[in-house]
């Protein structure tokens, strides 16, 4: 990953909108890094890591993060309202990541409530939203994203559910991680600003079109 390449690949509007973009070789967790610094960082600040030693998934599960293989990043988004106004935020973030994958030529992505992106029935990516600040507002969300780009076979075998990666889906057409990162940052900027303005109602139809559990 290269922060300069990520910025260059982003639309000009997104480059102007992001608060900051950092890349670290190794962190305990990109979300933990943002949470520790939340009081000092700007809105729409992004932190990437090539490796996480304590990546987190839903319900306290660990997120396995082999080095320089996948995408691990988190975004800090500030909201004027309180926690109650953030219902559906993880689903809206899922829409943004699905849109970014589609921008990069990846088709057939589904959203599995509440925070997984799947291809077929196999997990491709996960989202974890953690809230901070005042319960009644203002508050902030740290939105952690992990995307399997090239998942090593040994790591895949250690995961207790079906998983896939972009290399398996796209083969020789797998987009570069810098291109993927740029698309995801750009889509998150647009979606999170719209969510702050209109809430999840603005994304109901986008989510419904990708709902992997619909009718099941």
């Amino acid at each position: 990953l290269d922060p300069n390449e990520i910025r260059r690949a982003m639309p000009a509007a997104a480059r102007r909108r992001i608060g900051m973009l950092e890349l670290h070789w190794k962190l305990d967790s990109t979300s933990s890094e943002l949470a520790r610094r939340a009081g000092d960082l700007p809105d729409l600040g992004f932190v990437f890591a090539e490796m996480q030693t304590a990546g987190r998934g839903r319900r306290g599960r660990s997120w396995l993060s082999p080095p320089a293989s996948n995408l691990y990043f988190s975004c800090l988004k500030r909201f004027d309202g309180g926690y109650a106004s953030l219902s559906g935020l993880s689903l809206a973030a899922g829409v943004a990541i699905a849109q970014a994958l589609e921008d990069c030529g990846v088709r057939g992505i589904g959203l599995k409530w509440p925070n997984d992106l799947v291809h077929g029935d196999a997990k491709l990516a996960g989202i974890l939203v953690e809230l901070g600040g005042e319960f009644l507002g203002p508050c902030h969300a740290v939105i952690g994203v992990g995307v399997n780009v090239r998942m090593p076979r040994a790591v895949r075998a250690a995961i207790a559910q079906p998983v896939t990666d972009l290399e398996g889906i796209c083969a020789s057409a797998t987009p570069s991680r810098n291109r993927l990162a740029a698309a995801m940052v750009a889509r998150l900027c647009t979606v999170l600003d719209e969510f702050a303005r209109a809430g999840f109602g603005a994304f109901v139809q986008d989510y419904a079109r990708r709902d992997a559990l619909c009718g099941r």
Side-chain angles (χ1 to χ4, degrees):
L1 290 172
D2 183 332
N4 293 326
E5 287 295 326
I6 294 171
R7 287 180 179 274
R8 277 195 289 269
M10 289 165 52
R15 284 198 299 272
R16 292 191 296 267
R17 181 65 186 90
I18 60 172
M20 62 115 183
L21 193 155
E22 290 182 357
L23 171 65
H24 300 258
W25 167 246
K26 181 166 72 173
L27 290 172
D28 53 350
S29 157
T30 57
S31 289
S32 294
E33 178 70 7
L34 279 179
R36 286 189 289 264
R37 300 163 58 194
D40 301 319
L41 295 180
D43 185 42
L44 289 177
F46 289 82
V47 168
F48 286 78
E50 288 282 24
M51 179 181 181
Q52 297 181 121
T53 59
R56 297 192 300 280
R58 186 166 170 257
R59 294 181 177 175
R61 299 184 182 99
S62 61
W63 183 276
L64 299 181
S65 309
S69 301
N70 304 311
L71 278 182
Y72 322 115
F73 70 95
S74 296
C75 169
L76 175 69
K77 176 60 184 169
R78 300 191 181 280
F79 298 93
D80 293 330
Y83 289 8
S85 67
L86 303 187
S87 177
L89 178 57
S90 67
L91 302 181
V95 168
I97 300 303
Q99 290 173 336
L101 288 165
E102 291 160 3
D103 292 341
C104 294
V106 185
R107 299 290 178 257
I109 301 300
L111 298 176
K112 183 179 177 183
W113 185 91
N115 61 348
D116 286 351
L117 287 88
V118 297
H119 188 270
D121 283 328
K123 183 170 180 175
L124 174 66
I127 294 168
L128 181 66
V129 175
E130 298 171 304
L131 305 181
E134 300 294 329
F135 184 79
L136 297 177
C139 67
H140 65 264
V142 174
I143 302 158
V145 179
V147 183
N148 298 333
V149 181
R150 295 177 180 85
M151 181 64 79
R153 185 174 301 176
V155 178
R156 188 189 300 244
I159 300 173
Q161 63 176 305
V163 298
T164 188
D165 59 17
L166 290 176
E167 189 171 57
I169 296 169
C170 302
S172 61
T174 303
S176 74
R177 292 189 302 144
N178 286 318
R179 181 185 173 197
L180 286 164
M184 290 177 186
V185 169
R187 284 292 188 175
L188 280 168
C189 285
T190 300
V191 164
L192 294 176
D193 279 346
E194 179 66 8
F195 185 93
R197 187 190 67 80
F200 181 62
F203 303 98
V204 168
Q205 293 183 352
D206 287 322
Y207 173 72
R209 284 196 295 271
R210 299 175 175 88
D211 183 1
L213 298 180
C214 182
R216 300 176 67 183

